[in-house]
Amino acid sequence: MPPSGDQSRPDILPGTLELIVLRTLDTMGPQHAYGIAARIEQVAENSIRLNQGTLYPALVRLEQKGWIKGSWQTTQNNREARYYAITRAGTKALGEQSEWWRRSADLVNKLLAGEAEQ
Amino acid sequence: MSELRRFLQRLLNALRPSRREAELDRELAAHLALIEEECLRRGASAEDARRSARMMLGGVAQTKELHRDARSLEWLGEMRRNVSYAVRMLRRRPVASMAAMLSLALGIGLGASIFSVLDWVLLRPLPFSKPHELVRIFTAGTTPPGNPSPVTYTEFLALYRATTVRSATAYSTTTRVMTGAGITPVHIVLARAAGDLSSTLGEAPAIGRGLTSTEMASGARVVVLGYGLWRRSFAGDASIVGRAVLIDGVAHIVAGVMPRGRGYPAGADVWRPLTAKEREDDDRELDVIARLNSGASAAQASDEIRAIEHATSKITRTAWADELQRSTVANVKTPIQALAGAAMLTLLIICANLAALVGAGSADRADEMQIRGALGASRGRILG
């Protein structure tokens, strides 16, 4: 049962988008919103439906928390774009959030495994 | 920490129109351009590239809305816009607005001032300890039934015997002239008192001492000064205690000074014991205040006092006790309540007028409201 949206390509789980963005910026270095979206789609191999506009609220939240920082730069093709880079506070937060996510996922996985055995 | 930081930024963004909006436009345009470029690179037509860019983004207007929600406290921003809209509307009809504001201000001011009088006079307890125990005692003739009148010294002594009465004081005020070394002659209100002055009212002088029971009994030439007189005539000099002042030429020693705003009756400047001569004269001139034993009611005291007065006067006179607070404000209670009622009605009338004014204004604005409604303004926002 996917949370919502069409059955074959569920939306991103609410609350995880910030973690995903942080992780993407941490591995790829500074990226613009389109770059982040493209990266997520690439990793998800089209199994997740990403409305690219929904990245913006997440970016604002992260920026206001001081975990990422945006600045205007030019792309390789000489277009302007706002690039986001992870900050030191962001790197620290990424560690904490990843830990939190692992624990939650572990718990859910254990419960699901238990159900399957019965 | 990061949550607090975010909250402050949202607050700031809500309170001032944001530069972020223009920057967001630029950012979204750049984003669309990047997608289009990618589509063109894959061989799509310019038209298709434009369309699929918008589809992938999920709508520019929706994205901006989401961004605003995340960026600022949207309800606060809405409120700011509503207020600025209200100010614009007020400025568009300055005469009506001024009339509305003035009449509201008048009505509220009127209500507030009358209520503050009512509060001070009727609602606040008297400035004595346990004021509910205090009663005022009146006597009156029985044949024919007379108005409440003062009490003689003999009657006072008899009433004092009532078991419901813990202590009582009698006084009569008169105007005299006070002089003395280094004092400008001044008219004073002199309260001549008998009984337990300080224990009845439960207050002691701020400086010096009160009148002792021996002094009260003997009619000694000792006085207690009121705070106001002490400040006016003695410049607040505490060394006045123990010195003499002349009242109508007779020397009296100052025993003490009452605290500010204290002392009964409130208008008195100087208190002194009733002299032996005055007691012998037995004039019907004394006002009596009594403190009842705790638990005794004014009605119980009245019964007892009436019986005593009937017995001593062979039922030619009667007496009763009335709560001090009630008897003090009895004369002004009805007028003040009437004033308060009038003020409230005035406010109501003003509100009714305002409602009519607003009604007339909204008839003018019917077209505008329809347009705003059609554009999606909520009902609350149109009315607000």
Side-chain angles (χ1 to χ4, degrees):
Chain A
M1 181 196 67
S4 66
D6 79 61
Q7 298 274 320
S8 56
R9 298 176 66 204
D11 287 332
I12 284 181
L13 190 62
T16 57
L17 189 54
E18 288 183 31
L19 175 59
I20 293 172
V21 170
L22 275 182
R23 175 68 186 161
T24 308
L25 291 179
D26 191 47
T27 41
M28 310 220 5
Q31 280 295 328
H32 43 67
Y34 174 60
I36 298 171
R39 165 71 179 172
I40 294 172
E41 278 168 356
Q42 182 203 347
V43 171
E45 291 167 346
N46 249 354
S47 65
I48 290 268
R49 190 171 52 140
L50 177 69
N51 190 337
Q52 297 193 5
T54 55
L55 271 180
Y56 283 89
L59 288 171
V60 167
R61 282 197 290 271
L62 290 170
E63 203 173 9
Q64 285 180 337
K65 286 176 184 173
W67 291 352
I68 62 173
K69 197 163 166 38
S71 61
W72 287 94
Q73 292 174 22
T74 46
T75 66
Q76 292 155 346
N77 296 345
N78 223 11
R79 287 183 177 280
E80 62 160 16
R82 199 156 194 264
Y83 276 76
Y84 295 92
I86 191 163
T87 63
R88 280 174 64 181
T91 315
K92 191 163 158 255
L94 173 62
E96 291 164 4
Q97 299 264 317
S98 308
E99 180 55 24
W100 164 81
W101 171 253
R102 269 185 212 109
R103 281 192 203 172
S104 316
D106 270 0
L107 173 65
V108 174
N109 284 336
K110 269 186 202 160
L111 286 170
L112 290 179
E115 238 168 54
E117 279 164 20
Q118 279 174 3
Chain B
M1 188 55 205
S2 56
E3 286 298 330
L4 177 69
R5 185 189 149 124
R6 173 154 187 254
F7 174 76
L8 291 177
Q9 292 202 8
R10 291 178 84 189
L11 192 66
L12 219 63
N13 280 335
L15 293 178
R16 49 149 208 236
S18 179
R19 289 174 289 125
R20 234 9 214 112
E21 188 73 23
E23 204 179 8
L24 178 66
D25 281 343
R26 196 172 144 206
E27 194 174 354
L28 288 176
H31 191 140
L32 288 171
L34 284 167
I35 306 181
E36 277 175 40
E37 189 182 76
E38 177 69 21
C39 291
L40 288 174
R41 200 170 57 77
R42 288 185 187 170
S45 71
E47 181 60 26
D48 282 349
R50 263 176 60 81
R51 209 179 39 240
S52 52
R54 272 166 178 70
M55 269 175 62
M56 284 171 77
L57 188 69
V60 174
Q62 286 92 323
T63 303
K64 281 163 85 169
E65 193 67 32
L66 287 173
H67 194 270
R68 269 196 291 271
D69 278 344
R71 179 175 76 216
S72 78
L73 300 171
E74 209 32 38
W75 53 270
L76 200 64
E78 177 116 330
M79 202 144 81
R80 188 176 58 77
R81 284 190 290 279
N82 275 339
V83 167
S84 74
Y85 176 72
V87 170
R88 275 206 308 282
M89 290 311 290
L90 288 179
R91 286 172 60 169
R92 219 171 68 178
R93 304 170 61 213
V95 179
S97 308
M98 279 307 285
M101 278 190 265
L102 269 180
S103 52
L104 256 189
L106 273 176
I108 293 171
L110 189 70
S113 52
I114 300 235
F115 177 76
S116 63
V117 172
L118 184 132
D119 177 39
W120 271 102
V121 176
L122 299 185
L123 301 183
R124 304 224 173 175
L126 293 170
F128 306 114
S129 70
K130 299 184 188 164
H132 57 277
E133 288 178 358
L134 291 173
V135 294
R136 193 162 167 189
I137 292 173
F138 299 94
T139 67
T142 49
T143 49
N147 288 325
S149 64
V151 179
T152 66
Y153 186 68
T154 322
E155 279 175 335
F156 170 64
L157 288 182
L159 297 173
Y160 212 161
R161 291 201 305 266
T163 56
T164 44
V165 172
R166 190 187 323 160
S167 65
T169 180
Y171 67 89
S172 85
T173 53
T174 174
T175 305
R176 292 290 152 87
V177 173
M178 184 180 73
T179 56
I183 307 169
T184 320
V186 60
H187 277 102
I188 53 163
V189 175
L190 176 69
R192 299 165 298 172
D196 288 326
L197 190 59
S198 57
S199 67
T200 303
L201 296 173
E203 50 191 37
I207 302 168
R209 58 175 178 83
L211 304 172
T212 65
S213 51
T214 341
E215 284 166 350
M216 293 301 277
S218 66
R221 287 175 176 163
V222 193
V223 292
V224 169
L225 302 179
Y227 184 84
L229 177 75
W230 178 59
R231 294 302 299 258
R232 283 196 306 276
S233 290
F234 302 98
D237 178 8
S239 72
I240 186 66
V241 171
R243 300 220 307 258
V245 293
L246 299 176
I247 296 173
D248 277 2
V250 181
H252 289 73
I253 302 296
V254 175
V257 178
M258 289 304 284
R260 181 176 192 174
R262 295 303 173 92
Y264 190 89
D269 294 316
V270 175
W271 287 263
R272 75 153 164 76
L274 213 58
T275 61
K277 168 85 170 48
E278 283 161 344
R279 277 179 269 164
E280 276 162 30
D281 288 349
D282 210 16
D283 291 333
R284 186 167 291 286
E285 62 176 8
L286 297 176
D287 284 314
V288 179
I289 305 293
R291 182 175 289 277
L292 302 181
N293 285 317
S294 49
S297 70
Q300 287 168 342
S302 285
D303 290 342
E304 202 182 4
I305 289 165
R306 188 180 306 115
I308 295 172
E309 183 75 5
H310 281 177
T312 51
S313 70
K314 302 191 177 60
I315 321 190
T316 59
R317 294 192 70 76
T318 184
W320 68 93
D322 200 358
E323 281 165 36
L324 184 59
Q325 173 121 28
R326 208 171 68 193
S327 67
T328 308
V329 301
N331 291 335
V332 292
K333 192 171 180 179
T334 316
I336 288 181
Q337 282 173 340
L339 271 179
M344 218 128 76
L345 282 179
T346 313
L347 196 57
L348 264 180
I349 293 170
I350 287 170
C351 290
N353 282 338
L354 275 188
L357 208 61
V358 171
S362 38
D364 288 349
R365 288 172 51 203
D367 288 348
E368 176 212 323
M369 286 185 183
Q370 269 170 11
I371 292 171
R372 291 180 75 202
L375 288 177
S378 71
R379 186 163 299 193
R381 200 158 164 197
I382 291 178
L383 292 179

